[in-house]
Every structure is written in structure tokens, then in C-alpha cells.
Amino acid sequence: MDVPLLEKLQSKFECNQCGQCCVVGGDMLLSHDDVLRIASDLNYDFDGFVDCYLERVPADPDYFLVRDVMPCAFLDKLHMRCQIQSCKPLACRDYPFVLYARGECNIDAVLTCPVAVKMLEDHLKGVE
Ligand code: SF4
Ligand code: SF4
């Protein structure tokens, strides 16, 4: 799949908040801006939020990894809903197609998402 197609698919992508991608693990990379935004929304100071939820990426101090990803620390496990939907990390906003285009997830991760699978099926059938 080429990048323009993946970007087109992402532009039409509508997450139904099923939570399936939030339980399978994988590296959840947050930028400094992600951390600022989410910490502010959850009423943490920056360092307090990092201490509670994240690990610093040793090679790049501007990036952080979510410590608990199976399931994600920000998933409401009872209702299977993201608790930070309105301020969630860019990686989650770009999942599945643009994240895949950037090489930040593999095709198995894309196929975890039922909405993405349906869109790909429709694309292959020429429906979309
Ligand atoms: S931040 Fe939200 S959308 Fe992203 S993996 Fe965690 S629970 Fe899912
Ligand atoms: S698997 Fe797809 S539809 Fe479900 S929460 Fe993740 S992105 Fe949204």
C-alpha cells in the first residue's frame, strides 16, 4: 500500500472505540507535546505524570513510552473505552493507516482494528 492511499484511508477512518487495539500491547510512544497535553487534561504536573505512567526513552529525552500497554494504562477496562480520548497521543490518532505508513506499527497491528479490516476489504472490492 502506498502512502497516499494510506493517508486517504486514514482521512476516512472513524474509530468506533471498541478498545481492541488498546489491549494488544506494543510500544506506545508519546512525544513531549503528548505528555504536556495529557498531563494537563488529567491535572498532573509533567513530572508527576511521567512518574505514574511513563518511562523515558534513554536515546531521546523528548520521547516517552507508556509503561503498561497490555492493556493500555489509559483504557477503562470495565467499559473498554479510552479514558483520554479527547487528548490521546498522536500515535493513537494516526493509528492504523498513517502509523503504519510511518513504519511505527506492523500490518498485524493494523489488522487488529475491525474498522480498518472492513475498510481494506471494501477497498479491495472496489466499494470505497
Ligand atoms: S491512549 Fe487510549 S486510544 Fe491509545 S492505546 Fe491507550 S486507551 Fe487506547
Ligand atoms: S481497534 Fe480500531 S475501532 Fe477499535 S478502538 Fe482501536 S482504532 Fe478504534
Side-chain angles (χ1 to χ4, degrees):
M1 285 182 284
D2 60 9
V3 171
L5 170 60
L6 291 164
E7 288 174 345
K8 183 178 162 198
L9 289 169
Q10 189 73 37
S11 72
K12 296 178 179 175
F13 181 79
E14 290 183 20
C15 170
N16 68 12
Q17 297 190 51
C18 70
Q20 290 189 44
C21 64
C22 310
V23 297
V24 295
D27 288 346
M28 270 278 297
L29 201 59
L30 272 62
S31 68
H32 193 271
D33 284 350
D34 284 327
V35 178
L36 274 177
R37 186 180 63 254
I38 300 166
S40 166
D41 250 55
L42 298 181
N43 291 318
Y44 278 89
D45 62 51
F46 190 95
D47 289 334
F49 181 74
V50 170
D51 287 347
C52 279
Y53 295 106
L54 309 177
E55 290 172 3
R56 293 175 189 273
V57 176
D60 191 340
D62 281 339
Y63 283 88
F64 302 81
L65 287 164
V66 177
R67 202 178 296 138
D68 296 326
V69 292
M70 286 181 71
C72 175
F74 305 111
L75 184 70
D76 170 350
K77 285 82 178 172
L78 184 61
H79 302 100
M80 294 295 283
R81 288 280 189 274
C82 175
Q83 299 177 91
I84 57 169
Q85 181 67 21
S86 62
C87 62
K88 66 185 180 182
L90 183 65
C92 299
R93 295 168 197 274
D94 285 347
Y95 172 82
F97 300 113
V98 165
L99 202 66
Y100 177 76
R102 286 207 303 267
E104 294 179 28
C105 73
N106 60 26
I107 194 66
D108 287 345
V110 173
L111 298 178
T112 297
C113 174
V115 176
V117 169
K118 175 75 168 60
M119 289 177 75
L120 290 169
E121 285 174 350
D122 287 348
H123 173 74
L124 291 172
K125 287 181 200 158
V127 173
E128 64 87 40

